[in-house]
Amino acid sequence: MVPTAKQQPSSPPPRSLYAHIPFCARHCGYCDFAIAVGKTDRIEAYLVALEAELARKVSLFQTSPLPMDTWFVGGGTPSLLDAGQLRRLGEILAGRTPLAPEGEASLEANPESFDGEKARVLADSGFTRISLGVQSFEPGTLEALERPHDATLVERGVRAAREAGLAVSLDLIFGAPGQTRDNWALDLRRAIDLGPDHLSLYGLTYERGTPLEKKVRGGLVLPLAEELERDLYDQAMTTLEAAGYHQYEISNFSRTGFESRHNRAYWANLPHVGIGMGAAGLLDGERTLNTRDLDRYLRLALAGEDTAFQRERLEPWETARETLMMNLRRVEGVVPEEFLARTGFSLDQILGDGAGPLVRQGLLARDELGLRLTREGRFVADAVIVQLLAGAPGSPEPNSAGVPG
Ligand code: SF4
């Protein structure tokens, strides 16, 4: 049976903005993001469309401009924009959704397209943080991932960001074909030696239809053994902790005070505005997903029309389940008072007996502070979350999901 809310859930206005820049110089073999390859002649038109979409979305609110605590510009490759285009992007965001004092503004950059001039323009435009797509320093791993940069360009990027006064986050990938414990140890060491404020580590996934997944299916590429991948994640948690980076989410590690506020808002399942091709948004209990077709996006946005191709309004208890799922990604997990205030449901109402077996298996911990993954649970987080929700009241499916191990 579907539970009934105990109290009215809080529905704050959005304080976070995501802007998607889909342009990429080439298609990396593992990528299934919303991208547009080799279409940099459309960037100017895209910026006009982005502003039109943002204006339309902001006009839905009584406050205009609509202040934000965080901006996150992701891609694609936002650093493919030239310095003038980056300045224009900053003006568009600041004009419609100004950043609050002490706000956080991040932009994703690739080492081969990021330099001192772009870093200075970004800092002048209010950006505070660069998220650099390093993935690896090892030539063999970079080749397996089809990434065109090398370690020298990474060092140039970090230096440029630092000189402009920007905080630095580095993205790394583990589990690439051919990766070993030793070369992953070198990747971690080289990343730490650059002194970033923050690190995001992603296990490589073979998304259906990507060139890399096709190679795996054709027997041309051999994925790593599951056990080795697990070891690499374990190695990363231990190494980064010892180097002073605390883990605050399944994939994210930070020096104190440099956690990504934008992503924290996302894991708290708070409303956010999403603009650009393929961007997701959550406003007033409705999830939207923009079209992933560049021409269609430009046409709709420039005509002032709705750019979403998917809309979903969740029932309050569905929002509560979704919030539980997102909260569990955080190291602190689900905090009962926060959960009740955000969703109107108590944790018990949503969980029922769902957590018991997983707590007994040592994959979840539950106490007066709330419910969270154990260190062991982080290795199989997705499966734990599926099993937890499958056993909760109101689930459409009986408890059938298996947790490996
Ligand atoms: S640069 Fe990033 S977004 Fe573009 S294809 Fe490569 S992985 Fe995908």
Side-chain angles (χ1 to χ4, degrees), residues 35 60 64 79 103 114 169 185 222 226 231 233 244 263 289 306 382:
I35 58 168
L60 303 175
S64 180
S79 57
F114 183 64
S169 177
L222 193 64
E226 227 171 78
D231 283 357
Y233 183 48
N263 285 340
L289 198 55
D306 188 1
D382 290 345

Side-chain angles (χ1 to χ4, degrees), residues 270-283:
L270 292 172
H272 52 271
V273 177
I275 56 167
M277 181 186 124
L282 175 63
L283 290 179

Side-chain angles (χ1 to χ4, degrees), residues 23-24 26-28 30-33 35 37 75-77 110 147:
F23 303 99
C24 288
R26 50 186 278 169
H27 190 169
C28 309
Y30 61 95
C31 178
D32 80 332
F33 298 148
I35 58 168
V37 178
T77 312
N110 279 358
R147 298 299 296 235

Side-chain angles (χ1 to χ4, degrees), residues 43-366:
I43 291 177
E44 298 291 341
Y46 190 82
L47 291 176
V48 178
L50 214 52
E51 181 165 29
E53 188 193 0
L54 188 56
R56 193 176 63 77
K57 290 199 162 149
V58 169
S59 73
L60 303 175
F61 295 87
Q62 281 166 354
T63 324
S64 180
L66 187 63
M68 293 286 159
D69 292 327
T70 68
W71 298 341
F72 194 103
V73 179
T77 312
S79 57
L80 213 52
L81 272 57
D82 65 30
Q85 291 162 338
L86 287 173
R87 190 178 296 285
R88 179 79 197 107
L89 174 67
E91 286 165 1
I92 291 168
L93 304 189
R96 308 281 175 180
T97 48
L99 202 59
E102 309 301 316
E104 173 196 276
S106 304
L107 181 130
E108 286 181 344
N110 279 358
E112 68 278 10
S113 56
F114 183 64
D115 58 20
E117 187 191 6
K118 292 183 185 180
R120 284 189 295 279
V121 165
L122 289 169
D124 286 350
S125 306
F127 282 85
T128 60
R129 189 173 178 274
I130 284 296
S131 175
L132 201 61
V134 177
Q135 319 317 353
S136 176
F137 297 87
E138 292 296 301
T141 309
L142 287 168
E143 197 184 322
L145 296 172
E146 300 179 12
R147 298 299 296 235
H149 64 263
D150 60 21
T152 317
L153 290 173
V154 175
E155 284 154 20
R156 179 188 75 169
V158 171
R159 211 170 34 245
R162 288 289 185 217
E163 284 171 8
L166 299 167
V168 173
S169 177
L170 303 182
D171 281 2
L172 295 177
I173 286 184
F174 63 94
Q179 206 168 23
T180 63
R181 288 178 187 82
D182 286 348
N183 63 28
W184 178 231
L186 279 174
D187 267 344
L188 289 170
R189 178 46 46 208
R190 293 189 77 166
I192 291 165
D193 286 348
L194 288 172
D197 304 296
H198 185 279
L199 288 132
S200 299
L201 312 185
Y202 300 106
L204 180 67
T205 51
Y206 296 91
E207 301 298 338
R208 205 163 171 75
T210 57
L212 191 59
E213 187 266 346
K214 285 182 189 154
K215 282 188 190 166
V216 169
R217 265 192 290 146
L220 298 171
V221 164
L222 193 64
L224 288 201
E226 227 171 78
E227 199 177 315
L228 175 55
E229 201 169 321
R230 183 195 154 94
D231 283 357
L232 299 183
Y233 183 48
D234 193 27
Q235 193 181 343
M237 287 197 283
T238 307
T239 307
L240 293 179
E241 196 73 37
Y245 295 92
H246 72 92
Q247 185 171 14
Y248 68 104
E249 193 265 349
I250 292 171
S251 307
N252 286 278
F253 300 76
S254 172
R255 289 194 197 286
T256 306
F258 288 95
E259 299 83 2
S260 162
R261 285 163 56 196
H262 184 87
N263 285 340
R264 284 195 71 81
Y266 178 69
W267 298 315
N269 207 13
L270 292 172
H272 52 271
V273 177
I275 56 167
M277 181 186 124
L282 175 63
L283 290 179
D284 205 16
E286 186 178 54
R287 281 205 174 277
T288 55
L289 198 55
N290 273 353
T291 173
R292 286 170 72 110
D293 180 302
L294 180 62
D295 289 330
R296 189 170 163 75
Y297 173 75
L298 290 173
R299 189 163 46 73
L300 292 173
L302 292 171
E305 290 177 25
D306 188 1
T307 46
F309 84 99
Q310 203 173 296
R311 300 186 160 272
E312 188 183 15
R313 182 167 291 285
L314 298 178
E315 295 295 329
W317 70 275
E318 289 173 315
T319 299
R321 285 165 62 94
E322 199 184 67
T323 304
L324 179 100
M325 216 160 74
M326 312 278 257
N327 286 180
L328 271 178
R329 296 192 59 89
R330 314 181 300 197
V331 164
E332 75 268 29
V334 192
V335 178
E337 306 75 43
E338 179 199 3
F339 186 76
L340 179 63
R342 167 75 184 98
T343 68
F345 290 88
S346 73
L347 197 47
D348 279 335
Q349 278 183 292
I350 296 301
L351 280 180
D353 297 330
L358 293 159
V359 170
R360 285 192 289 282
Q361 287 175 63
L363 299 170
L364 285 175
R366 190 169 187 188

